[in-house]
Amino acid sequence: MAKGMFVDTSVCIGCKACQVACKEWNGLQGEPAHFRNDPVSMRPVAVNFTGNSYDNTGALGATDWRHVRFIERFSEDRSRARWYFSSDSCKHCGDAGCLNACPTGAIIRTGLGNVTVQQDVCIGCKYCIPSCPFGVISFSEGTGTVHKCTLCNDRIHNGLGTACAKACPTNSIRYGDVADLRRAANARLERLKSLGYGQANIYGYDEAGGLNVFYLFLEPPAVYGQPERPVVPQRRLPGASAATIAGAVAVGVAALVCFRERGQAEGKDEEVDK
Amino acid sequence: MNPEVHAPGWEWYYVAMYFFVGGVSAGAYVIASLAELFGGEKHREVSRTGYFIAFPLILLAPPLLIADLGRPERFWHLMLYARSGFPSFNIQSPLSVGSWALLVYGVMALLSFLDNMVEEGKVRNAPFARFYDRRPRKVYAVVGSAAGFFVAGYTGVVLDVTARPLWAATDPLVGALFVASSASTGAAAIFLTMAAYKTLPKLHRAAFERFDRFVMILELALALAVVLIAGKYAAPLLRGINATMFWGGAVLAGTIVPLAANWFAGRSAPGDRISDNIVVLMAVLVLLGGALLRISLVQAGQV
Amino acid sequence: MIMGSNMAECHPVAFRWPLKAKTDHGAVLMHVDPRFTRTSAMCDVHAPIRAGTDIVFLGAVINHVINSERWNTDPFFREYVVNFTNAATLVNRDFKDTEDLNGLFSGMSPDGKKYDNATWSYQRERPPRPAVAGAETLTDLLLQRVPGRPRTDPTLSDPRTVFRILKRHYSRYTPELVEKVCGCPPQTFLKVAKNLLDNSGRDRTSNITYAVGWTQHTVGVQIIRTAAILQALLGNIGRPGGGVLALRGHATIQGSTDIATLYHSLPGYLNMPDARKAHDTFRDFVLTEAVPVATSYWGNYPKFAVSYFKAQFGDAATKENDYGYDYHPKITGDHSHLPMFVDMMAGKIKGFLVMGQNPAVGGQNARFQRKALAKLDWMVVRDLYETETSAFWRNSPEIRSGELKSADIKTEVFFLPAAGLPEMEGTFTNTQRLIQKHDKAVDPPGDARSDTWFSWHLGKRLKALYADSKHERDWAIRNLLWDYDPEPAEAAHWRIKDEPSAYKILKEINGYTFADRKPLPTFAVLKEDGSTACGAWIYTGVVPEEGVNRGGSRKADDWISPGWGFAWPANRHIMYNRASADSRGNPWSDRKKLVYWDPAADSGTKDAAGKPVFGKWVAPSGEGIDFQPTKAPGFKGRENGLGFDWLSGNDAFIMRPDGKAWLFAPAGLVDGPLPAHYEPYESPVENLVYGQQSNPVAKVWNVDGNPYHKVADPSYPIVVSTYRLTEHHLSGTMSRNLPWLAELMPELFCEISPELAAEKGIRNGGYVTIRTARAEIEARALVTRRMRPFRIGGKVVHEIGLPWHWGWQGSANGDVVNNLSSLVADPNVSIHEGKVFTCDVRAGRKGGAA
């Protein structure tokens, strides 16, 4: 009975309560890269203004496990005016690239379906980082290990929901059984389509083995910064292995041909220095 | 392809250099063992030299790997699951399988190395001497060359089986490219060692040079193919320092120039031999090219 | 319709309700605002208007509505308006409107500074014969002075009816005017107007929600009035889903104004004794304040006032000494924030207590306010962190520039640590008048203490100091009841044992019979004979019996939820809900049923023969009935009665002396009985509606350090508006000190349209310098199409936006935006005009670097 979250971006107001609740519950620090020491006041001061709409977080990171995206879609004459908000986080993929890539077994899936990093096992090899098609899991210089959303692993194993879902004022983020959430999402999608939102879509039913944290978008996923057809990289392992083996075979055959001891005298095309 | 996929933040002087060192070691070992399996006594010197350098080279690998970890003291988690102590193996992770392959290869390289020492009488210790025997040598050679091929190529698979746009776009060829590169750098390392120990005269040049030629052509073809299939995602390899390293270092200096020298050497009359100095220079270029190939690919994927 | 508010950003938790109405019930959400904000993103319609032109827009909706076919043919509107508003009331024959005087009303003084509202009065019948001959009580005084009933013309045809005056007044407010003055496309305006009209009536209601985007103007009160007029004309007041919702600007500021931290009122919105008015004696006070409103529920003014004094002074308050009235402080002028700082700058103020406020950043013309602080002898600041105000003497732009030198500042600054939210017990009163109990979770650390602790102990120490004083002026302090000692059970759990009892404070606010200290269940039992004490009559009922705090109840249902908290007054959530039934007491529709007359219900009273009287108002939802429960719809009020006796069965607006919603305000406002468009005090354009440029009686302070821009000053051609973001709290004390919030919005930025950016060579992410006659600041540039230029009367007017949260303390620093604004205010309530003024903008940093 997998647990997950349904993120209905159509009712997200971009308030970032989810980002703050996540930091608060998980005891996360301000992202170190966002601060520099101010020589006058002798304390860290935030300097991470990006100029990218209201998004100064930029990306998910080792201490940013939720990241609200702001997408302004205005035509030049402003006749088309949309501002979308989407709270990005780990999607707890059914087929998780990070989990597949982890060589130490640090990344595991619990009985509730969420994917989490065992901080005492991780060696900080960082291989999971480029293995996530969504750019989620990140490395912390401070701990020497990787971090990401745990789906509030401690809360959900004690009968509570996720902190972000609890804090969300508009019920845009909902926690529950994935099966129930899918039903609710389908109903919401129906309703939006009937109201004329023809491009509304659910992102996460089929992607990456099914995302336990899935989304409702009003426009194609690329508008929201998500890959349209994400590929779990390990699916390409057989192909890459086969090609490499072929390469090895080629070298081996070359060696066979070039080095093979022949019965005939080796004189004409070889020279042995004396 | 999603440009938001994070770069792992691997340092070139650890990870790319590990790829290189592992590649040279494995290449040398593979040549040595294939030469022994297929060529026998005629290529004894090549085998000897290959076995001689493979193990010391691979000793450099673990420190390089461990140094780039966030928690270096936990490196042993790669082999044993921290919670239970049981062996840890994840077939979907090239890093996991590669760690075991590295271990097997390392053991084989050590055995072949010791074997060498015993054969040359440098190790007179009786227990060791008992290991010297024709049959185990073949076993080491077979197992070790298989593991060696793995060590040579898996690092390319490591890169290709990620979601980073450049690496994902060069899939599935980088593994084969690294195998070819390992062979050429392994050969170069053997050349250099023989030059240093003045055993070059014992080399059956023609055979070795034919093998070397094939391998470098394969490497050149794969390098070009890698860039072609990457299409628009190859951009990081086409500008800046990564382009210089890849095209100037790996392709031109490391492959084309030595290939040209090799070709001329093959065409020359038996009386004209290219000098040992040229051979040494070419070997250095090949090694340099091999290093720059890996550095440029690893760094270009993290841009 | 959300206007003058950015609800999704500034009231995000409340915003879930409009959003739910939209997603679950198909409600149409509309946002009228100069900027496209996170609220606009969630709304179906965004109507852009130039800042400060709200009255034009709303006036045009009024004009559209009252001239529409639907409004003139659907009988609902006529019935509601004639019965529940003063549309039919006849106005003084000497009244002259802005139509007659090119933007002024009759009664302006020769110096053009003050209105005499005598000509705005109603026409009245002759005064009735008083119900009492002599005046034994204060109530008797009121009974002797009941005015004649207002004269009306229910057919609305007399040109002196409020309706005809109103119609004429707004006749020039057309969609074309909206385009010309607001810069809003007429088709967008009409979409809004149509949606409001179509969604009002018997079966449907529309709501208008506003916040400080309306209040912080020199015409702030009038903007709100325009919306109230519109809603009254649409029949939306007192009905579910209707009304005008004021989103207050700070958490529990509703409670703050209810229990009167405002200088000009006493708790429960009684007026403060004022040395400038005829308030010499208590009798004078009651006559002056209560007579004009005695025919409304305010007819109980004497009971409210006496009970208040009794609560303050206890046994020392007796009939003989007028319950201590003479010793109660009186104000002598406008002591609100802005004039207080003008006095401070002039050296007239010696000491200053600053609790949870940060005028060094939050105050208008902040440089002026910071420099004024240097004129104090002493200042006490209580806050959670060292604020800019508490640090002004050692670190501020003025110190850094050398304009002020620490060594020369004689102000002694005391910084006391305050308790944070979870460390305090008490109640919150939210923007819906809902009182909710708030539990203390943990003691504050170290010496940090709550504001209640501080105030109580300060008062105790002062009482001790004055205990032996023989001066009359010290009577009040000496006799202050002030008994909030905690019960042992209340203090047992905590480290800090001397925190005052929040329960006792609330009980005092609620009121109790003085003799036995039993809490009062309702303000209906308040007396003027000193037998009842009551701190704030509007709260009576929150503690209906000993030990019960209804603010703590948490029973919710899908609708009114009368079991959740306590809404003053008397747990009535929708005020004036008598208007949710028609003139015969029947619900307007089944769909919009709330409160209605049930003629068969037992009223609970018996007639002279001892038989039960039938008929009462009922509300099945549990909603409190904002009316006399047993008054029949057809009841005719007594000509010479007070309050409920005077009010008839259709007088839903029980706090108005005529029981009607005021389309036309004959009294109470100093700048006119009808809202008219005046330009903001600083504007890049002339008033295209009238000859009168700006509010003629706006409060201005022509003092050094407060220069104003001229109208259409070419040096300051750009309109600027200041506002707030979700991520920060006010002056940033509570948010810029938290890394998680600091990194969400780290630096001050200025929102600029691409058109203006191109004109000035400003690039996104670069720096921009903004300048007024008061100061110059720099900000990061955020170039976005959410800002737009407006075409006003043929010329392009640019507008920029500045969130004002930044200061120099904390983990996210930036220039103080309020350095730019001036001291100028609404004349009715002295609120500053922070939402619109003019400036100039250039690319690059302050010092000249890019």
Side-chain angles (χ1 to χ4, degrees), chain B residues 151-165:
Chain B
V151 169
Y154 94 98
T155 54
V157 174
V158 162
L159 294 182
D160 276 350
V161 179
T162 66
R164 282 294 288 171

mmCIF file with all atom_site columns, all heavy atoms in Angstrom, chain B residues 151-165:
data_model
loop_
_atom_site.group_PDB
_atom_site.id
_atom_site.type_symbol
_atom_site.label_atom_id
_atom_site.label_alt_id
_atom_site.label_comp_id
_atom_site.label_asym_id
_atom_site.label_entity_id
_atom_site.label_seq_id
_atom_site.pdbx_PDB_ins_code
_atom_site.Cartn_x
_atom_site.Cartn_y
_atom_site.Cartn_z
_atom_site.occupancy
_atom_site.B_iso_or_equiv
_atom_site.pdbx_formal_charge
_atom_site.auth_seq_id
_atom_site.auth_comp_id
_atom_site.auth_asym_id
_atom_site.auth_atom_id
_atom_site.pdbx_PDB_model_num
ATOM 1   N N   . VAL B 1 151 ? 37.086 -3.860 -15.984 1.00 0.00 ? 151 VAL B N   1
ATOM 2   C CA  . VAL B 1 151 ? 37.609 -2.651 -15.355 1.00 0.00 ? 151 VAL B CA  1
ATOM 3   C C   . VAL B 1 151 ? 37.861 -1.572 -16.399 1.00 0.00 ? 151 VAL B C   1
ATOM 4   O O   . VAL B 1 151 ? 37.611 -0.395 -16.173 1.00 0.00 ? 151 VAL B O   1
ATOM 5   C CB  . VAL B 1 151 ? 38.900 -2.969 -14.571 1.00 0.00 ? 151 VAL B CB  1
ATOM 6   C CG1 . VAL B 1 151 ? 39.600 -1.686 -14.140 1.00 0.00 ? 151 VAL B CG1 1
ATOM 7   C CG2 . VAL B 1 151 ? 38.583 -3.813 -13.351 1.00 0.00 ? 151 VAL B CG2 1
ATOM 8   N N   . ALA B 1 152 ? 38.341 -1.987 -17.575 1.00 0.00 ? 152 ALA B N   1
ATOM 9   C CA  . ALA B 1 152 ? 38.630 -1.012 -18.626 1.00 0.00 ? 152 ALA B CA  1
ATOM 10  C C   . ALA B 1 152 ? 37.370 -0.338 -19.124 1.00 0.00 ? 152 ALA B C   1
ATOM 11  O O   . ALA B 1 152 ? 37.351 0.869  -19.358 1.00 0.00 ? 152 ALA B O   1
ATOM 12  C CB  . ALA B 1 152 ? 39.334 -1.714 -19.783 1.00 0.00 ? 152 ALA B CB  1
ATOM 13  N N   . GLY B 1 153 ? 36.294 -1.107 -19.288 1.00 0.00 ? 153 GLY B N   1
ATOM 14  C CA  . GLY B 1 153 ? 35.112 -0.567 -19.959 1.00 0.00 ? 153 GLY B CA  1
ATOM 15  C C   . GLY B 1 153 ? 34.011 -0.069 -19.043 1.00 0.00 ? 153 GLY B C   1
ATOM 16  O O   . GLY B 1 153 ? 33.232 0.805  -19.422 1.00 0.00 ? 153 GLY B O   1
ATOM 17  N N   . TYR B 1 154 ? 33.919 -0.597 -17.808 1.00 0.00 ? 154 TYR B N   1
ATOM 18  C CA  . TYR B 1 154 ? 32.748 -0.265 -16.990 1.00 0.00 ? 154 TYR B CA  1
ATOM 19  C C   . TYR B 1 154 ? 32.682 1.217  -16.639 1.00 0.00 ? 154 TYR B C   1
ATOM 20  O O   . TYR B 1 154 ? 31.600 1.768  -16.432 1.00 0.00 ? 154 TYR B O   1
ATOM 21  C CB  . TYR B 1 154 ? 32.701 -1.125 -15.723 1.00 0.00 ? 154 TYR B CB  1
ATOM 22  C CG  . TYR B 1 154 ? 33.321 -0.514 -14.493 1.00 0.00 ? 154 TYR B CG  1
ATOM 23  C CD1 . TYR B 1 154 ? 32.548 0.117  -13.544 1.00 0.00 ? 154 TYR B CD1 1
ATOM 24  C CD2 . TYR B 1 154 ? 34.715 -0.561 -14.302 1.00 0.00 ? 154 TYR B CD2 1
ATOM 25  C CE1 . TYR B 1 154 ? 33.108 0.690  -12.411 1.00 0.00 ? 154 TYR B CE1 1
ATOM 26  C CE2 . TYR B 1 154 ? 35.266 0.001  -13.175 1.00 0.00 ? 154 TYR B CE2 1
ATOM 27  C CZ  . TYR B 1 154 ? 34.471 0.622  -12.233 1.00 0.00 ? 154 TYR B CZ  1
ATOM 28  O OH  . TYR B 1 154 ? 35.055 1.183  -11.122 1.00 0.00 ? 154 TYR B OH  1
ATOM 29  N N   . THR B 1 155 ? 33.845 1.863  -16.595 1.00 0.00 ? 155 THR B N   1
ATOM 30  C CA  . THR B 1 155 ? 33.820 3.281  -16.213 1.00 0.00 ? 155 THR B CA  1
ATOM 31  C C   . THR B 1 155 ? 33.076 4.105  -17.263 1.00 0.00 ? 155 THR B C   1
ATOM 32  O O   . THR B 1 155 ? 32.440 5.107  -16.938 1.00 0.00 ? 155 THR B O   1
ATOM 33  C CB  . THR B 1 155 ? 35.244 3.816  -16.043 1.00 0.00 ? 155 THR B CB  1
ATOM 34  O OG1 . THR B 1 155 ? 35.992 3.547  -17.227 1.00 0.00 ? 155 THR B OG1 1
ATOM 35  C CG2 . THR B 1 155 ? 35.916 3.158  -14.857 1.00 0.00 ? 155 THR B CG2 1
ATOM 36  N N   . GLY B 1 156 ? 33.136 3.645  -18.524 1.00 0.00 ? 156 GLY B N   1
ATOM 37  C CA  . GLY B 1 156 ? 32.361 4.333  -19.563 1.00 0.00 ? 156 GLY B CA  1
ATOM 38  C C   . GLY B 1 156 ? 30.872 4.076  -19.380 1.00 0.00 ? 156 GLY B C   1
ATOM 39  O O   . GLY B 1 156 ? 30.046 4.965  -19.588 1.00 0.00 ? 156 GLY B O   1
ATOM 40  N N   . VAL B 1 157 ? 30.554 2.854  -18.965 1.00 0.00 ? 157 VAL B N   1
ATOM 41  C CA  . VAL B 1 157 ? 29.149 2.521  -18.693 1.00 0.00 ? 157 VAL B CA  1
ATOM 42  C C   . VAL B 1 157 ? 28.639 3.343  -17.509 1.00 0.00 ? 157 VAL B C   1
ATOM 43  O O   . VAL B 1 157 ? 27.496 3.810  -17.500 1.00 0.00 ? 157 VAL B O   1
ATOM 44  C CB  . VAL B 1 157 ? 29.002 1.005  -18.421 1.00 0.00 ? 157 VAL B CB  1
ATOM 45  C CG1 . VAL B 1 157 ? 27.579 0.684  -18.006 1.00 0.00 ? 157 VAL B CG1 1
ATOM 46  C CG2 . VAL B 1 157 ? 29.399 0.217  -19.648 1.00 0.00 ? 157 VAL B CG2 1
ATOM 47  N N   . VAL B 1 158 ? 29.513 3.537  -16.507 1.00 0.00 ? 158 VAL B N   1
ATOM 48  C CA  . VAL B 1 158 ? 29.142 4.375  -15.358 1.00 0.00 ? 158 VAL B CA  1
ATOM 49  C C   . VAL B 1 158 ? 28.626 5.720  -15.841 1.00 0.00 ? 158 VAL B C   1
ATOM 50  O O   . VAL B 1 158 ? 27.603 6.221  -15.378 1.00 0.00 ? 158 VAL B O   1
ATOM 51  C CB  . VAL B 1 158 ? 30.360 4.569  -14.424 1.00 0.00 ? 158 VAL B CB  1
ATOM 52  C CG1 . VAL B 1 158 ? 30.131 5.756  -13.489 1.00 0.00 ? 158 VAL B CG1 1
ATOM 53  C CG2 . VAL B 1 158 ? 30.608 3.318  -13.619 1.00 0.00 ? 158 VAL B CG2 1
ATOM 54  N N   . LEU B 1 159 ? 29.358 6.315  -16.788 1.00 0.00 ? 159 LEU B N   1
ATOM 55  C CA  . LEU B 1 159 ? 28.944 7.629  -17.277 1.00 0.00 ? 159 LEU B CA  1
ATOM 56  C C   . LEU B 1 159 ? 27.668 7.533  -18.112 1.00 0.00 ? 159 LEU B C   1
ATOM 57  O O   . LEU B 1 159 ? 26.742 8.314  -17.943 1.00 0.00 ? 159 LEU B O   1
ATOM 58  C CB  . LEU B 1 159 ? 30.065 8.242  -18.130 1.00 0.00 ? 159 LEU B CB  1
ATOM 59  C CG  . LEU B 1 159 ? 31.365 8.592  -17.422 1.00 0.00 ? 159 LEU B CG  1
ATOM 60  C CD1 . LEU B 1 159 ? 32.338 9.233  -18.403 1.00 0.00 ? 159 LEU B CD1 1
ATOM 61  C CD2 . LEU B 1 159 ? 31.132 9.498  -16.223 1.00 0.00 ? 159 LEU B CD2 1
ATOM 62  N N   . ASP B 1 160 ? 27.641 6.568  -19.010 1.00 0.00 ? 160 ASP B N   1
ATOM 63  C CA  . ASP B 1 160 ? 26.513 6.498  -19.944 1.00 0.00 ? 160 ASP B CA  1
ATOM 64  C C   . ASP B 1 160 ? 25.193 6.178  -19.268 1.00 0.00 ? 160 ASP B C   1
ATOM 65  O O   . ASP B 1 160 ? 24.145 6.607  -19.715 1.00 0.00 ? 160 ASP B O   1
ATOM 66  C CB  . ASP B 1 160 ? 26.803 5.460  -21.035 1.00 0.00 ? 160 ASP B CB  1
ATOM 67  C CG  . ASP B 1 160 ? 27.637 6.042  -22.169 1.00 0.00 ? 160 ASP B CG  1
ATOM 68  O OD1 . ASP B 1 160 ? 27.801 7.279  -22.173 1.00 0.00 ? 160 ASP B OD1 1
ATOM 69  O OD2 . ASP B 1 160 ? 28.109 5.277  -23.023 1.00 0.00 ? 160 ASP B OD2 1
ATOM 70  N N   . VAL B 1 161 ? 25.240 5.391  -18.200 1.00 0.00 ? 161 VAL B N   1
ATOM 71  C CA  . VAL B 1 161 ? 23.988 5.003  -17.543 1.00 0.00 ? 161 VAL B CA  1
ATOM 72  C C   . VAL B 1 161 ? 23.648 5.998  -16.428 1.00 0.00 ? 161 VAL B C   1
ATOM 73  O O   . VAL B 1 161 ? 23.428 5.625  -15.284 1.00 0.00 ? 161 VAL B O   1
ATOM 74  C CB  . VAL B 1 161 ? 24.107 3.541  -17.045 1.00 0.00 ? 161 VAL B CB  1
ATOM 75  C CG1 . VAL B 1 161 ? 22.846 3.107  -16.335 1.00 0.00 ? 161 VAL B CG1 1
ATOM 76  C CG2 . VAL B 1 161 ? 24.335 2.630  -18.233 1.00 0.00 ? 161 VAL B CG2 1
ATOM 77  N N   . THR B 1 162 ? 23.719 7.281  -16.802 1.00 0.00 ? 162 THR B N   1
ATOM 78  C CA  . THR B 1 162 ? 23.201 8.335  -15.919 1.00 0.00 ? 162 THR B CA  1
ATOM 79  C C   . THR B 1 162 ? 22.275 9.197  -16.760 1.00 0.00 ? 162 THR B C   1
ATOM 80  O O   . THR B 1 162 ? 22.128 8.961  -17.955 1.00 0.00 ? 162 THR B O   1
ATOM 81  C CB  . THR B 1 162 ? 24.314 9.250  -15.364 1.00 0.00 ? 162 THR B CB  1
ATOM 82  O OG1 . THR B 1 162 ? 24.898 9.975  -16.453 1.00 0.00 ? 162 THR B OG1 1
ATOM 83  C CG2 . THR B 1 162 ? 25.366 8.460  -14.620 1.00 0.00 ? 162 THR B CG2 1
ATOM 84  N N   . ALA B 1 163 ? 21.672 10.181 -16.140 1.00 0.00 ? 163 ALA B N   1
ATOM 85  C CA  . ALA B 1 163 ? 20.734 11.054 -16.840 1.00 0.00 ? 163 ALA B CA  1
ATOM 86  C C   . ALA B 1 163 ? 21.364 12.377 -17.258 1.00 0.00 ? 163 ALA B C   1
ATOM 87  O O   . ALA B 1 163 ? 20.684 13.235 -17.786 1.00 0.00 ? 163 ALA B O   1
ATOM 88  C CB  . ALA B 1 163 ? 19.519 11.303 -15.950 1.00 0.00 ? 163 ALA B CB  1
ATOM 89  N N   . ARG B 1 164 ? 22.662 12.562 -17.011 1.00 0.00 ? 164 ARG B N   1
ATOM 90  C CA  . ARG B 1 164 ? 23.303 13.816 -17.441 1.00 0.00 ? 164 ARG B CA  1
ATOM 91  C C   . ARG B 1 164 ? 23.236 13.877 -18.962 1.00 0.00 ? 164 ARG B C   1
ATOM 92  O O   . ARG B 1 164 ? 23.598 12.903 -19.633 1.00 0.00 ? 164 ARG B O   1
ATOM 93  C CB  . ARG B 1 164 ? 24.762 13.879 -17.000 1.00 0.00 ? 164 ARG B CB  1
ATOM 94  C CG  . ARG B 1 164 ? 24.946 14.240 -15.555 1.00 0.00 ? 164 ARG B CG  1
ATOM 95  C CD  . ARG B 1 164 ? 24.502 15.645 -15.212 1.00 0.00 ? 164 ARG B CD  1
ATOM 96  N NE  . ARG B 1 164 ? 25.377 16.679 -15.735 1.00 0.00 ? 164 ARG B NE  1
ATOM 97  C CZ  . ARG B 1 164 ? 25.097 17.984 -15.713 1.00 0.00 ? 164 ARG B CZ  1
ATOM 98  N NH1 . ARG B 1 164 ? 23.961 18.404 -15.201 1.00 0.00 ? 164 ARG B NH1 1
ATOM 99  N NH2 . ARG B 1 164 ? 25.941 18.858 -16.205 1.00 0.00 ? 164 ARG B NH2 1
ATOM 100 N N   . PRO B 1 165 ? 22.803 14.971 -19.521 1.00 0.00 ? 165 PRO B N   1
ATOM 101 C CA  . PRO B 1 165 ? 22.536 15.013 -20.964 1.00 0.00 ? 165 PRO B CA  1
ATOM 102 C C   . PRO B 1 165 ? 23.701 14.535 -21.846 1.00 0.00 ? 165 PRO B C   1
ATOM 103 O O   . PRO B 1 165 ? 23.508 13.703 -22.723 1.00 0.00 ? 165 PRO B O   1
ATOM 104 C CB  . PRO B 1 165 ? 22.235 16.494 -21.220 1.00 0.00 ? 165 PRO B CB  1
ATOM 105 C CG  . PRO B 1 165 ? 21.703 16.993 -19.934 1.00 0.00 ? 165 PRO B CG  1
ATOM 106 C CD  . PRO B 1 165 ? 22.399 16.228 -18.864 1.00 0.00 ? 165 PRO B CD  1
#
